[in-house]
DNA sequence: TCATGTATCTGACTTTAGTCAGGTATTTCC
DNA sequence: GGAAATACCTGACTAAAGTCAGATACATGA
């Protein structure tokens, strides 16, 4: 597979040179770049030191600590012990800090205007459309698909979306006791995957031995795909098929040669996706009242 | 005029975070960022210290000098007095430097692959198209239009394109004696403008008193637009009209109330542009054998 | 409860990045 | 031919960015 990178590289060259941007806009604010980024991220919602560290791409803890001290001495941020976990420190902007944040925001805005103002409205519309498309695709390309314990908050959040969507909502919400634990979806019986973009779940799905209920006989060769969900905003971006490939690979790894799954007629995109991925229609194999379509694929 | 900057800002946020990129790709090469950029630009064709300084956005000369010494001591670049001007120093990559350059190139390529590889071919095509569009528009927005002496190398280069295109090429090329000097296109009789992107001329045009030849009477109220040229790659980007507005403003500043110009039937886009800009057809007013259409606009 | 791990901090350091004030050839312009 | 401008250099400096080795307080799980 040969991939032509020239357009992207040309774009990077010229765009980064012109927009270096977000970056440079932080300068001239009186704060050094790193410190300004810390302040900006706090304003954006970072709540703890750790939060800041991950958002800024894993900076040294001592380094961050020092920058926070500097922001505190300038009166821009205040810190406080986290009552829930005394090791953690909560960080918030003071009133002055908020002013400073607004200033950064204004600079960033000005920077964008510098680029947009010389264009005609038609050109601006074209540019916006192009950037939105590029943004979506670049986000799609950087999505990570990771196995997580179904009890993990990320998994619970994803399943929350899933259940909300199929209308099978239970009487509790995420954050309370969660959607319970399904041992069949974690090792050694199965695996649950969450696809995330910028730390937020955008798709999820699990694979498990089939069936795990006591009603049927256990078939060592067959696995079942469950709770597959793709954020509506992300549909049509090829994310579903990518996740499906992950789940199939996992089924193989767990020793199965066949996968089954059920879905509903209203999910037309999903049905199309399964068909394109080589799934064949089979008869109903369970008594799930929400399911209308049943599929099967021979993996090997 | 309200301009919505949100799409661009959202894009910058997410793209720069993911692709910081060109930048980060320079790291891990064993060279500090600034030094790596110097080496990279030399490989890209920078020939003198001054050339490097302008390409890198006006770095301090001492700073660049020091980085060059460091690259020399590592055996990556060699410098030499410019025989044509003893003050200048020519810089070239050594064999080792070329290897290092290839390494930077490879890192940059890898970085682009990281984003493109997870996408399907269709998605890659969409991304490429979006980035190319964004690139063109962003370049268009950052074009600068400056008055220059017609004898200036930039002006000579632009006029070279102009004459080559209309087939009136003289018997000499730019770099020799140039396209001669037309005093009517420089103060106090007129002005010549060059629009440049990344230091290269992409459009040009001049305005002067009409007529400046001895064959007609001098009309103090009327100016003439001459040698208007837009790089073929840039046509349709609104650059022509932008330049035209500059020329009209300059004509006013020079004390004229009317502008005239001639053009040729084959330049259909240009003719459309003049009409949209409020120019009206008039009778032939000179004996230019290449001109077929004549226009006039009342400025005030 | 005790070992182990986590979240943050302090101090001591190094490297980069960048500025500023001269200085030395060399060229250009009158 | 001499003054002014140009192209590059050196030295002395500052601030920012980042690393590393502990220290401290708190949380967690057997």
């Amino acid at each position: 597979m040969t991939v032509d990178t020239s357009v992207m590289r040309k774009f990077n060259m010229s765009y980064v040179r012109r927009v270096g941007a977000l970056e440079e806009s932080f300068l001239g604010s009186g704060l050094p770049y790193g410190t300004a980024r810390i302040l900006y991220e706090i304003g954006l919602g970072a709540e703890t030191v750790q939060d800041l560290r991950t958002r800024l791409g894993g900076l040294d803890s001592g380094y961050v600590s020092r920058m926070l001290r500097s922001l505190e001495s300038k009166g821009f941020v205040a810190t406080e012990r986290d009552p829930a976990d005394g090791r953690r420190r909560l960080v918030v902007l003071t009133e002055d800090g908020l002013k400073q944040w607004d200033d950064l925001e204004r600079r960033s805005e000005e920077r964008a205007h510098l680029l947009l103002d010389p264009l005609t409205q038609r050109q601006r519309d074209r540019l916006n459309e192009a950037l939105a498309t590029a943004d979506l695709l670049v986000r799609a390309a950087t999505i990570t698909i990771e196995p997580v314990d179904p009890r993990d908050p990320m998994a619970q959040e994803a399943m929350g979306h899933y259940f909300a969507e199929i209308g099978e909502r239970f009487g509790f919400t995420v954050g309370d006791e969660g959607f319970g634990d399904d041992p069949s979806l974690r090792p050694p019986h199965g695996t649950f995957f969450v696809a995330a973009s910028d730390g937020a779940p955008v798709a999820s799905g699990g694979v498990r031995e089939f069936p795990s209920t006591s009603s049927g006989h256990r078939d060592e060769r067959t696995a079942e795909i469950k709770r597959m969900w793709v954020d509506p905003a992300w549909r049509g971006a090829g994310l579903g098929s990518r996740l499906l490939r992950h789940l199939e690979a996992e089924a193989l790894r767990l020793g199965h040669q066949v996968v089954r799954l059920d879905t509903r007629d209203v999910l037309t995109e999903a049905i199309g996706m399964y068909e394109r991925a080589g799934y064949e229609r089979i008869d109903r194999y369970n008594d799930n009242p929400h399911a209308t379509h049943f599929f099967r694929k021979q993996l090997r």
Side-chain angles (χ1 to χ4, degrees), chain A residues 119-128:
Chain A
L119 299 176
T120 64
Q121 189 57 49
R122 216 181 92 69
Q123 289 178 313
R124 274 181 221 139
D125 292 343
R126 278 185 68 204
L127 181 55
N128 276 344

Side-chain angles (χ1 to χ4, degrees), chain A residues 1-12:
Chain A
M1 180 181 65
T2 61
V3 176
D4 180 17
T5 60
S6 60
V7 175
M8 168 167 281
R9 294 192 50 202
K10 181 169 170 238
F11 174 81
N12 288 352

Side-chain angles (χ1 to χ4, degrees), chain A residues 11-87:
Chain A
F11 174 81
N12 288 352
M13 217 40 173
S14 98
Y15 196 81
V16 171
R17 184 174 293 186
R18 276 161 242 261
V19 191
L22 242 204
E23 329 285 320
E24 287 163 53
S25 72
F26 279 158
L27 300 175
S29 69
L31 292 174
Y33 176 63
T35 315
R37 275 198 60 178
I38 296 262
L39 188 144
Y40 193 70
E41 286 294 339
I42 298 173
L44 241 40
E47 291 178 345
T48 64
V49 177
Q50 199 172 29
D51 208 358
L52 280 171
R53 295 221 295 134
T54 50
R55 280 174 188 242
L56 299 183
L59 292 188
D60 180 83
S61 78
Y63 186 28
V64 171
S65 179
R66 220 178 312 278
M67 287 194 280
L68 278 171
R69 278 319 70 66
S70 147
L71 284 169
E72 260 183 321
S73 77
K74 290 193 175 79
F76 293 149
V77 315
T79 63
E80 181 195 0
R81 244 177 84 104
D82 184 345
D85 183 339
R87 291 167 301 182

Side-chain angles (χ1 to χ4, degrees), chain A residues 146-289:
Chain A
E146 305 279 357
V148 297
D149 191 296
R151 291 163 297 187
D152 181 281
M154 283 273 278
Q156 291 288 315
E157 190 184 338
M159 274 189 266
H161 290 298
Y162 170 78
F163 285 121
E165 199 167 328
I166 63 171
E168 279 184 12
R169 202 157 235 283
F170 299 129
F172 47 77
T173 51
V174 183
D176 295 17
E177 63 271 52
F179 290 92
D181 176 25
D182 186 342
S184 75
L185 285 176
R186 57 182 159 92
H189 306 291
T191 315
F192 193 74
F193 289 91
V194 170
S197 171
D198 287 326
V202 295
S204 66
V207 61
R208 65 173 185 185
E209 287 170 355
F210 171 81
S212 60
T213 63
S214 55
S215 64
H217 70 287
R218 177 154 298 188
D219 182 345
E220 293 292 341
R221 294 184 55 252
T222 304
E224 184 180 20
I225 284 173
K226 294 290 290 178
R227 302 193 183 177
M228 188 144 167
W229 164 80
V230 176
D231 187 314
W234 284 89
R235 286 175 197 166
L239 184 51
S241 344
R242 224 176 117 196
L243 182 57
L244 193 57
R245 284 197 298 277
H246 258 263
L247 293 169
E248 291 169 1
E250 180 67 6
L252 271 176
R253 202 186 63 79
L254 291 172
H256 307 289
Q257 274 90 47
V258 178
V259 283
R260 289 186 173 177
L261 58 87
D262 64 27
T263 186
R264 295 184 308 150
D265 44 12
V266 294
L267 301 173
T268 51
E269 310 108 309
I271 291 173
M273 179 186 79
Y274 293 132
E275 284 169 344
R276 280 195 305 281
Y279 282 74
E280 44 179 332
R281 292 282 295 271
I282 54 172
D283 291 336
R284 172 178 285 274
Y285 64 78
N286 64 21
D287 52 5
N288 178 352

